[in-house]
Amino acid sequence: IPLILQHAGLEPLLEAEKAFLVFLGDLHHREDYEGAGEMESSVETFRWLMRLKTAYPRSVYCLLGNHEFTRTGSTKRGYHQGDLFREALQESGLWETYEAWLLQSPVVVVHPRCVGVHAGPAIDVESLEELRSKEIRDVAPLEMEKPIWQLCFTRHVDWSPNPAKHYNDHHVTDFLSLCGVPGTRLITGHTPLD
């Protein structure tokens, strides 16, 4: 990513607040089979993100995704990545910083031409004000505020085999209207595409 920033000449634009960089979540945890239990790269990614956020506090944002939560209980290739990540952050002395960052991070970005989330639209809210009132907590998914869970863990019906975890096109349309930008696009990052 530092090479992308350099190649695109983004850093002067971020500093002048003429460009904004929004990560769509899941910055942590390797996906490859051999590295699924390795957390050094995840800790280094967090350090890098904090350096970037400190340098450009009003220009760089990271939306929360399911991999940012450490108490999900889910496994990847047999590893409880959240537990391993939390332990690695504690060992590196970064846990308190990470927890403060997690609890203050956004789950939605609204722009006049699009809305960005990690996973899917918040279905169980009536307004943006109601959504803003929802507390972000690092807890098991069933203990999360439902709209936060929906924004960080769901998938479109075309990609989700689990009816409890999917949303449909009409949910997207409703959410875009709720965000005040009807007819635009919802941008997600949760579902990997080949």
Side-chain angles (χ1 to χ4, degrees):
I1 300 228
L3 291 176
I4 294 171
L5 291 174
Q6 185 180 16
H7 178 74
L10 279 181
E11 294 193 63
L13 296 172
L14 293 171
E15 187 170 354
E17 297 180 16
K18 292 184 178 180
F20 298 91
L21 183 58
V22 179
F23 295 98
L24 295 176
D26 281 4
L27 267 66
H28 308 102
H29 310 155
R30 288 174 51 178
E31 293 291 320
D32 59 305
Y33 186 78
E34 294 80 20
E38 181 272 318
M39 291 298 140
E40 290 175 25
S41 61
S42 293
V43 171
E44 187 51 40
T45 298
F46 179 65
R47 281 190 178 110
W48 176 82
L49 177 63
M50 288 299 95
R51 286 192 293 271
L52 198 59
K53 183 67 176 166
T54 300
Y56 313 111
R58 294 175 40 88
S59 300
V60 174
Y61 300 91
C62 180
L63 302 182
L64 296 179
N66 55 305
H67 283 260
E68 276 66 52
F69 294 93
T70 69
R71 291 180 166 87
T72 63
S74 61
T75 61
K76 178 74 70 167
R77 296 178 176 43
Y79 294 100
H80 289 272
Q81 289 181 318
D83 294 336
L84 293 172
F85 186 39
R86 187 173 60 256
E87 290 167 11
L89 288 164
Q90 289 167 341
E91 289 171 13
S92 66
L94 289 171
W95 173 247
E96 288 180 8
T97 301
Y98 184 83
E99 189 173 37
W101 168 80
L102 178 78
L103 300 179
Q104 296 176 25
S105 290
V107 289
V108 176
V109 62
V110 178
H111 184 274
R113 293 183 296 216
C114 64
V115 173
V117 300
H118 173 67
I123 296 168
D124 293 317
V125 291
E126 299 294 323
S127 68
L128 277 181
E129 287 305 314
E130 182 185 350
L131 182 56
R132 285 185 189 106
S133 74
K134 300 301 180 186
E135 183 181 12
I136 295 172
R137 298 179 308 142
D138 190 18
V139 295
L142 291 177
E143 297 174 32
M144 289 181 180
E145 298 261 16
K146 196 161 185 183
I148 302 299
W149 175 84
Q150 291 164 340
L151 292 162
C152 298
F153 286 83
T154 60
R155 295 187 196 273
H156 190 272
V157 66
D158 291 343
W159 296 94
S160 176
N162 183 344
K165 290 185 174 184
H166 73 234
Y167 60 90
N168 291 292
D169 292 344
H170 69 89
H171 296 119
V172 172
T173 302
D174 293 348
F175 187 63
L176 293 171
S177 293
L178 180 115
C179 291
V181 288
T184 59
R185 301 218 181 259
L186 180 69
I187 300 172
T188 67
H190 184 56
T191 303
L193 301 175
D194 292 334

